[in-house]
Amino acid sequence: MSDSDDFRLNALARYRKTSSQLALEVHSHCEVPAGCGGVVLRWRRPGASIGLSLSSYLKGVPDGLFLDGNPLMEQRVNVTPGAHVLSFEVNHPGDKGFVLMQARLNPEIASALHPELASAPDGRWKATTRPPPEGWRLPDFADAGFAPLVQRPVPEPKTNERWRWQMLTDDVTGLGLASSATKAWVRWTFHVDYEGFK
């Protein structure tokens, strides 16, 4: 007998939703006191842009963040699957931590194995204390002259940014330079696709 779904009369599996060319994306979900809730799902084509949401607390960053060489104006952004770099300059980083950051897939992709990535001393975060050559904000820049950031506690701010610091400091590792400096140029390299961050 054929293995075709047309001949499987009593198999519930023939009604399952699967696709080798689409990924299932979770947009939002809700829970209510009665115990029932819902979820909004959408099929998406791999290769399509991926939504990211960034949460950050940065100390001494005058010019803001750049993603792949372009100013990052909003907390949420769409990127193409592949390699990316987040970059920024820090004034007077000293010997304390100056960055807390977390990136999430938004909307969430149900099939993603690693939907979140946070600042950590994992070699993806690098900095130099000398002015870098042109192109340092781009993903294909050779950053061999940049040194890895190290784990450093980020001091509690005394400004209205305290809520952001508090939200991130519980789950995210603070990073800083290995030795004190008056200025630093920082790169965070990451890869993202429909399976999440790599």
Side-chain angles (χ1 to χ4, degrees):
M1 186 153 194
S2 170
D3 283 338
S4 168
D5 278 347
D6 294 337
F7 296 105
R8 295 182 187 168
L9 299 179
N10 296 317
L12 289 176
R14 68 186 289 206
Y15 298 105
R16 72 180 179 267
K17 304 270 187 191
T18 60
S19 173
S20 60
Q21 298 180 358
L22 298 172
L24 191 58
E25 188 176 76
V26 179
H27 274 265
S28 64
H29 63 278
C30 62
E31 295 178 15
V32 294
C36 60
V39 64
V40 178
L41 303 173
R42 181 179 81 169
W43 288 100
R44 64 185 306 278
R45 178 179 45 83
S49 63
I50 297 169
L52 300 183
S53 178
L54 293 168
S55 300
S56 63
Y57 170 75
L58 302 164
K59 181 178 175 289
V61 178
D63 299 325
L65 302 173
F66 287 74
L67 181 65
D68 300 335
N70 299 308
L72 189 62
M73 301 299 201
E74 298 183 11
Q75 182 180 354
R76 291 181 63 178
V77 63
N78 288 327
V79 298
T80 56
H84 297 279
V85 62
L86 191 80
S87 60
F88 55 92
E89 298 175 26
V90 184
N91 286 333
H92 310 292
D95 57 359
K96 296 184 169 53
F98 53 78
V99 60
L100 295 164
M101 188 169 296
Q102 185 174 55
R104 288 191 174 108
L105 298 180
N106 190 349
E108 179 184 336
I109 300 174
S111 60
L113 302 175
H114 304 285
E116 296 182 6
L117 189 63
S119 53
D122 56 8
R124 298 178 209 228
W125 286 86
K126 294 183 177 181
T128 181
T129 55
R130 287 180 284 195
E134 190 174 335
W136 73 277
R137 293 186 186 275
L138 301 176
D140 57 357
F141 177 77
D143 61 5
F146 283 57
L149 293 184
V150 298
Q151 182 171 346
R152 296 260 190 229
V154 177
E156 181 177 345
K158 296 185 174 28
T159 64
N160 58 359
E161 292 280 317
R162 187 183 181 285
W163 69 271
R164 191 185 306 270
W165 174 87
Q166 183 66 51
M167 177 183 74
L168 288 165
T169 198
D170 294 335
D171 302 319
V172 177
T173 303
L175 297 176
L177 300 173
S179 58
S180 183
T182 56
K183 186 159 185 172
W185 290 261
V186 181
R187 286 171 48 90
W188 179 29
T189 56
F190 61 92
H191 184 282
V192 66
D193 59 27
Y194 67 94
E195 292 184 351
F197 293 95
K198 297 177 182 173

